[in-house]
Amino acid sequence: MKWKEDYSSDIPSTLSDVVDFLKVAMPIERLKISTIGPEGTSASFVGETLKEAAHPELDIDLLLAADFNSAMTSVLMKHSDFALVPSAYRDATAFHWNSELVLDGCFVHHTPAYGLATKDGKLSEDSVILATMDEVESLFAQLATPEVQARLADVIPAKSTSHAASLVGEGRATVAVCNEIGVYQNNLQWFKVREGVPIVWMLFAHK
């Protein structure tokens, strides 16, 4: 069918293909890629994986932004060459439909393990305060027992999984939906954990 030919795409779609594309397409030795931070987010973890895969032929500076809007702005202002965005990001469509951006490549990579983390691996408090990003809040319902869910008193919105874990570490929340890096960084323990999932990671550039 003709429309399949007209609208097909040949962008790099594996990690090795993306690395090869970057090495050939970019006329500079150091590349700047923005994604959501701080260090310990799944995005920073995958960014480091891309960085290691490209080395030593290409050096990548990973710029960790406060949020994905800031990562987008960095590319639009040409402070970064690419924004690294996961398909699981709720507003990823904003990157696709921005008239000044183009999807230059993508690849699949697993996230670290995710779950519910507390200071001691228990949830004995009468009132449970949850710290989570919107994108992964559903994991609380998947992993917490009905009895724990019934004690949920408040939800603190987090900017990232690392931020969620830090809120528990600081004593502002009792449980966080976070990844295993956040657990390690904040000296938390798993209350309930599940394996990571494969996610498509996209590289957007300025046209």
Side-chain angles (χ1 to χ4, degrees):
M1 295 177 66
K2 189 174 186 303
W3 68 266
K4 288 187 177 180
E5 298 175 3
D6 292 345
Y7 294 99
S8 61
S9 174
D10 60 354
I11 65 170
S13 55
T14 67
L15 179 58
S16 60
D17 286 346
V18 165
V19 169
D20 289 342
F21 162 76
L22 294 177
K23 291 175 182 177
V24 173
M26 300 306 295
I28 55 177
E29 293 183 359
R30 296 197 74 86
L31 200 64
K32 294 180 179 179
I33 297 180
S34 290
T35 193
I36 191 171
E39 185 179 350
T41 61
S42 294
S44 71
F45 168 73
V46 174
E48 288 292 340
T49 300
L50 177 59
K51 183 176 177 178
E52 291 172 6
H55 188 75
E57 291 88 349
L58 182 64
D59 288 324
I60 293 176
D61 291 330
L62 199 60
L63 308 181
L64 300 181
D67 50 46
F68 283 113
N69 284 336
S70 298
M72 177 191 288
T73 299
S74 183
V75 175
L76 293 174
M77 297 296 291
K78 299 185 179 180
H79 297 154
S80 300
D81 301 295
F82 294 95
L84 178 65
V85 182
S87 59
Y89 171 50
R90 184 165 294 178
D91 294 323
T93 184
F95 285 81
H96 287 286
W97 291 108
N98 189 298
S99 61
E100 296 183 65
L101 298 177
V102 61
L103 176 64
D104 264 349
C106 61
F107 58 94
V108 176
H109 198 284
H110 269 75
T111 69
Y114 268 71
L116 305 180
T118 70
K119 283 190 173 183
D120 60 2
K122 302 176 182 178
L123 271 175
S124 56
E125 297 84 357
D126 292 334
S127 296
V128 172
I129 300 175
L130 172 67
T132 182
M133 293 181 71
D134 287 344
E135 285 84 348
V136 291
E137 184 175 351
S138 62
L139 289 180
F140 180 74
Q142 292 181 29
L143 299 176
T145 63
E147 185 271 333
V148 168
Q149 294 181 46
R151 289 190 275 124
L152 181 63
D154 195 12
V155 178
I156 301 177
K159 297 177 181 179
S160 67
T161 53
S162 293
H163 182 215
S166 71
L167 290 172
V168 174
E170 295 165 4
R172 296 169 57 190
T174 51
V175 60
V177 179
C178 61
N179 66 31
E180 61 183 310
I181 304 172
V183 171
Y184 173 79
Q185 289 176 328
N186 293 276
N187 296 312
L188 305 182
Q189 296 183 38
W190 287 123
F191 174 76
K192 190 80 171 181
V193 63
R194 56 158 293 170
E195 63 183 11
V197 295
I199 286 178
V200 178
W201 297 87
M202 302 173 287
L203 284 171
F204 289 91
H206 198 287
K207 286 185 178 178

